[in-house]
Amino acid sequence: MKIDLEDVIDQVLIDEESLNKRIKQLAGQINEYYLDKNELVLVGILKGSIMFMAELAKNIKLDCTLEFMDVSSYENGTQSSGNVKIIKDLDTDITGKEVLLVEDIIDTGRTLDALKDSLIKRGANSVKIITLLDKPERREIEIKPDWSGFKIPNEFVVGYGLDYMQMYRNLPFIGVLKREVYE
């Protein structure tokens, strides 16, 4: 079934060109920061980070490995429950490695706070956070990303990996979902 964007998207918040340009800038910062560090492991948080991580990884000019974790803290699709559940864990040992958590969006901060603690306890040399989108108005836990693509207002956004009920991830931009779609 074809998506009629006018029926679901209130506005385009960040267009595809702006996303690609900013991700290249972030990759440049990552390249510089990790140049003389230990082995770098990018850990994408599924499923939302997949498009961001793919584009970021294409622009990282360092030896690195890609890993994924699937975690959930959303029980009803729009509100975090605060309980983080690991659905898919890492496949490799991260002891002594530099870990870069790659996230699509930070809102409450609960998920990333729990993941960062877990990865530090597993022996990672360092755990840094990069997020495509930062929604500081929604923060419940004091956590700041080390790198952030865009600060956004407290709107329900989809596209470029972000979803509503597993839909709209494939949109090449970040759009604000119309309230009538999710309320």
Side-chain angles (χ1 to χ4, degrees):
M1 174 158 61
K2 187 174 186 249
I3 300 172
D4 189 352
L5 294 181
E6 292 178 6
D7 291 342
V8 295
I9 301 299
D10 192 38
Q11 67 172 314
V12 173
L13 195 60
I14 307 166
D15 63 47
E16 185 175 10
E17 182 180 334
S18 298
L19 286 166
N20 291 331
K21 180 179 177 186
R22 182 65 179 131
I23 293 168
K24 285 179 182 172
Q25 291 171 341
L26 290 168
Q29 294 171 17
I30 298 301
N31 289 329
E32 187 176 314
Y33 181 81
Y34 286 103
L35 184 61
D36 297 321
K37 305 264 194 276
N38 293 334
E39 183 180 340
L40 176 60
V41 181
L42 302 181
V43 177
I45 310 305
L46 295 173
K47 298 177 186 168
S49 72
I50 199 135
M51 292 176 82
F52 174 42
M53 184 156 157
E55 196 61 31
L56 184 69
K58 286 191 317 189
N59 289 283
I60 290 179
K61 306 302 181 204
L62 306 167
D63 288 336
C64 65
T65 57
L66 306 181
E67 275 288 334
F68 294 94
M69 293 182 80
D70 191 359
V71 298
S72 178
S73 65
Y74 287 81
E75 292 176 350
N76 65 8
T78 61
Q79 296 293 318
S80 176
S81 67
N83 299 320
V84 178
K85 176 180 163 188
I86 295 177
I87 298 163
K88 185 225 175 284
D89 209 341
L90 299 174
D91 292 328
T92 59
D93 183 14
I94 57 166
T95 303
K97 297 178 182 175
E98 309 295 331
V99 173
L100 180 59
L101 280 171
V102 181
E103 183 65 289
D104 56 351
I105 188 168
I106 303 175
D107 53 12
T108 67
R110 291 183 182 280
T111 301
L112 279 180
D113 187 55
L115 282 179
K116 186 173 182 177
D117 283 350
S118 172
L119 297 176
I120 288 169
K121 288 176 184 169
R122 294 185 201 188
N125 191 49
S126 73
V127 178
K128 300 288 186 188
I129 298 169
I130 186 168
T131 187
L132 181 60
L133 305 174
D134 188 7
K135 198 186 289 187
E137 287 178 50
R138 296 257 306 135
R139 202 76 87 244
E140 294 175 8
I141 301 266
E142 187 59 39
I143 190 165
K144 292 178 81 171
D146 297 280
W147 297 274
S148 176
F150 301 90
K151 282 191 178 170
I152 63 167
N154 189 16
E155 298 283 354
F156 195 99
V157 293
V158 295
Y160 211 80
L162 290 98
D163 75 302
Y164 170 65
M165 309 271 301
Q166 301 301 324
M167 295 176 14
Y168 314 118
R169 290 187 194 278
N170 60 315
L171 298 176
F173 57 83
I174 303 292
V176 176
L177 193 64
K178 288 186 175 180
R179 286 195 178 277
E180 57 266 23
V181 174
Y182 63 91
E183 286 185 340

